Amino acid sequence: MCARCGTVAEGDTVPVTWLSAVEDGRRLHFCESCARLHIRAIESRLDSLWW
Ligand SMILES: [Zn+2]
């Protein structure tokens, strides 16, 4: 299930087009459209780790 919009993936496995991320020790999944929006937040967070 998408952690952002609540879209439920078909089948038992997460589609390859979905983004999975670990936040606060929990594995979250984001659907294709939400992943595009969320990837910026993830990347900016990763960038901050490099500083
Ligand atoms: Zn979504």
Side-chain angles (χ1 to χ4, degrees), residues 1-7 18 29-35:
M1 184 171 125
C2 177
R4 190 171 178 277
C5 70
T7 295
W18 284 40
H29 298 285
F30 298 95
C31 69
E32 195 172 355
S33 57
C34 289

Side-chain angles (χ1 to χ4, degrees), residues 30-47:
F30 298 95
C31 69
E32 195 172 355
S33 57
C34 289
R36 288 199 201 94
L37 298 173
H38 194 70
I39 194 73
R40 291 178 178 273
I42 294 175
E43 285 179 343
S44 61
R45 194 174 306 175
L46 286 174
D47 285 346

